[in-house]
Amino acid sequence: MRDVIVAANWKMHTTPADAGELARIMAARTREPGVTRVICPPFVCLTAVRDALAAADDPADIEGAGGIQPAAVGAQNVHHELAGAYTGEIAAPMLVGLATWVILGHSERRRDAGETDALIGRKLTRAIDAGLRPILCVGEQLDEREAGAAISVVDAQLRGCLAGHDPVTLVSAGMVIAYEPVWAIGTGRTATGADAATMADAIRRSLTELGWPDAGDGVPILYGGSVTSANIGEFLAEPSIDGALVGGASLKPDELAGIVARAGLTARARGLAS
Ligand code: PGA
């Protein structure tokens, strides 16, 4: 049974002074049985968010509350080396104790930091070695979709990022794939649920060809790109889509609460909660 996941990517928003309070509000307003919640703030806010979530979602308080899992903390990136002369960078071992998840290969990093599939593959190794659960982002540009190349672009990204990785290790690390069409990120424009499902099926076909156990069936696939409380239902209605990676809407408590509430319905329908 795959997890139903809502991951909040706060990108370059919030400060250490306000992130904790926002995390506390988010945690309290998104308690849905069977839904895995992850908040990914900027590096400098990880401590504040970790502490706020630990206080808000004390296991002693939510125990017995019908399968509510404490909200988790994720980082938005990690360096591909373990340590060294890399001014301004953060290595995976530095995140231990601060975060349990990490977003890798986000299109904004591919665009702004020149991250390649091979580099993202090295980050994947570092993340897993540090015990972080990776959310690997893939997705095509608009011209690629219009040229009918969306599936082959995502297939090539997967092959590039996953080359040399042992599928069984990545499955045990709980790797998640986020399909984020680049033209849908922050634009208010989304793929359709059917487009996302077609891509999720294609991703699982690629994983099968790459030797994944059970035809990639155990890997959660999220949709990302202008997800809101109003459109999340269209994606979660697709059995192959297991949740969302949410940017802009994840900074608005009403929006995130609505998205997680809809994910709660899916978790119940899929037997993850009663
Ligand atoms: P968006 O961002 O929801 O603001 O489009 C999604 C993402 O970049 O992960």
Side-chain angles (χ1 to χ4, degrees):
M1 188 65 70
R2 298 190 297 264
D3 295 336
V4 169
I5 300 164
V6 176
N9 177 8
W10 286 0
K11 306 193 179 183
M12 200 171 72
H13 296 287
T14 71
T15 65
D18 57 32
E21 176 59 7
L22 187 58
R24 188 191 65 73
I25 294 167
M26 296 303 198
R29 294 202 51 195
T30 58
R31 292 208 178 106
E32 280 292 331
V35 179
T36 300
R37 298 166 293 161
V38 189
I39 295 185
C40 306
F43 284 125
V44 293
C45 300
L46 286 169
T47 305
V49 169
R50 176 200 61 187
D51 293 348
L53 293 182
D57 274 349
D58 184 338
D61 291 343
I62 58 176
E63 202 173 282
I68 294 172
Q69 303 162 38
V73 186
Q76 298 174 13
N77 177 39
V78 79
H79 198 263
H80 59 278
E81 294 290 357
L82 275 179
Y86 300 101
T87 302
E89 296 289 347
I90 301 287
M94 299 172 185
L95 295 172
V96 174
L98 289 176
T100 51
W101 291 67
V102 64
I103 299 171
L104 295 178
H106 192 282
S107 62
E108 287 155 11
R109 294 205 54 84
R110 291 174 186 260
R111 180 195 68 199
D112 300 337
E115 291 191 6
T116 61
D117 295 326
L119 189 84
I120 295 160
R122 292 172 68 189
K123 291 172 183 246
L124 198 49
T125 304
R126 297 304 180 201
I128 286 164
D129 288 351
L132 298 167
R133 193 168 170 187
I135 301 175
L136 174 65
C137 300
V138 291
E140 82 286 356
Q141 307 280 343
L142 185 57
D143 57 338
E144 294 167 334
R145 172 154 288 267
E146 285 172 349
I151 286 177
S152 61
V153 165
V154 168
D155 177 69
Q157 289 174 336
L158 288 171
R159 284 170 198 276
C161 294
L162 300 177
H165 285 276
D166 170 28
V168 175
T169 306
L170 294 181
V171 169
S172 2
M175 189 183 80
V176 171
I177 293 177
Y179 168 53
E180 298 208 306
V182 178
W183 46 272
I185 296 177
T187 58
R189 204 174 151 189
T190 63
T192 63
D195 287 341
T198 300
M199 187 59 83
D201 292 345
I203 288 171
R204 291 205 170 91
R205 272 201 306 281
S206 300
L207 295 180
T208 307
E209 286 169 19
L210 289 166
W212 286 60
D214 302 326
D217 197 44
V219 179
I221 298 181
L222 314 183
Y223 169 77
S226 297
V227 169
T228 64
S229 60
N231 63 31
I232 181 69
E234 176 175 353
F235 300 103
L236 287 177
E238 301 291 342
S240 55
I241 301 290
D242 303 303
L245 179 54
V246 188
S250 76
L251 289 155
K252 301 175 189 154
D254 286 349
E255 277 296 307
L256 194 67
I259 291 166
V260 178
R262 179 61 186 76
L265 295 179
T266 297
R268 278 194 284 283
R270 296 187 188 175
L272 291 166
S274 48

